[in-house]
Amino acid sequence: MSGEVLVTRDLVAGYVPQVDILNGVSIVVAEGEIVTVVGPNGAGKSTLLKALIGLVAPKGGSILLAGRPISGLPPSAIVRQGLGYVPQRENVFESMPIEENLEIGLKPRPGLGLRRRLDAMYALFPRLGERRRQVAGSLSGGERQMLAMARALMPEPKILLLDEPTAGLAPRFVDLMFEQVAAVNRSGVTILMVEQNAARALAMSHRGYVLDLGRNAHEGAGPALARDPKVADLYLGGLHG
């Protein structure tokens, strides 16, 4: 690991002028890391990702991607700068086949070569390669998540943001999804993840952050946070239960 891919300093953001959801959040994600953000409902976890990708306009603080400021840019420009984002819901084009979904994902950087990127995604997600002509709306929940991840990876982002990748999945797909996240990271992709399955996500992460009421509450090595009973009891509703 080397270099800081994504840095926020004292980030403030919210959906309406009078109410701030993020109240000065600071995080650092280094090249090659998996970093997981956890915390109770309403802590600002998903709002953080939306602010990073430009879906929520920051009101204060800074966001740096590979050392360049991106705060206030539109989402399309942020994606071109190298930030990939997989939202929790409505993250595939259901009426289109898998391969067409992936082709759309390459639009921010068409010069990378469609065939090369498709082959890379099918190597990383073999299920998608087997079903490349299948309509996305007919996929299982786990397969949809794989497709959403693959589409976000098509333009070779510097970092991939994942918002609750295991939400709503059957238990067998939860295991598969965590395995897939680890495989994506091993392929060289830096990951920032918000995840409801806090213990499992922190255990596989290089580092973690706990948010509470839109502020940094705890941070440290992922496995250490997962084992910390104070973090579990106070912020995560009994992480070990």
Side-chain angles (χ1 to χ4, degrees), residues 9-11 37 50 54 57 59 73 75 82 96 100 102 120-121 135 142 159 173 186 195 204 210 222 233:
R9 298 292 186 204
D10 302 319
L11 188 62
V37 178
K50 290 176 181 176
K59 302 178 185 180
L73 294 177
M96 295 182 178
E100 288 186 21
L102 296 178
M121 291 304 100
V135 174
I159 181 170
F173 281 117
R186 286 194 301 270
E195 175 53 45
M204 67 180 288
V210 182
D233 294 339

Side-chain angles (χ1 to χ4, degrees), residues 36-86:
T36 294
V37 178
V38 299
N41 289 337
K45 306 180 297 294
S46 291
T47 302
L48 171 63
L49 298 190
K50 290 176 181 176
L52 294 174
I53 195 64
L55 295 174
V56 175
K59 302 178 185 180
S62 62
I63 306 171
L64 299 178
L65 178 62
R68 301 178 63 178
I70 61 170
S71 181
L73 294 177
S76 58
I78 292 174
V79 170
R80 286 194 297 272
Q81 296 265 0
L83 204 64
Y85 173 59
V86 181

Side-chain angles (χ1 to χ4, degrees), residues 87-158:
Q88 183 178 341
R89 298 182 180 89
E90 298 177 357
N91 52 21
V92 300
F93 295 104
E94 295 187 356
S95 64
M96 295 182 178
I98 286 173
E99 193 148 300
E100 288 186 21
N101 269 267
L102 296 178
E103 289 175 15
I104 290 173
L106 192 62
K107 283 192 173 182
R109 299 185 66 196
L112 291 176
L114 176 60
R115 189 72 258 161
R116 182 177 73 85
R117 294 306 296 151
L118 286 174
D119 289 345
M121 291 304 100
Y122 293 148
L124 194 55
F125 301 90
R127 281 173 179 251
L128 300 184
E130 296 165 4
R131 297 161 170 78
R132 65 186 69 189
R133 292 180 179 83
Q134 188 170 331
V135 174
S138 67
L139 300 175
S140 69
E143 290 164 348
R144 287 189 190 204
Q145 282 296 91
M146 291 182 196
L147 175 56
M149 289 171 61
R151 192 181 70 194
L153 289 169
M154 283 290 285
E156 292 188 336
K158 297 180 176 71

Side-chain angles (χ1 to χ4, degrees), residues 178-193:
F178 278 123
E179 291 170 6
Q180 196 68 67
V181 170
V184 169
N185 181 245
R186 286 194 301 270
S187 76
V189 178
T190 303
I191 293 173
L192 176 62
M193 174 169 56

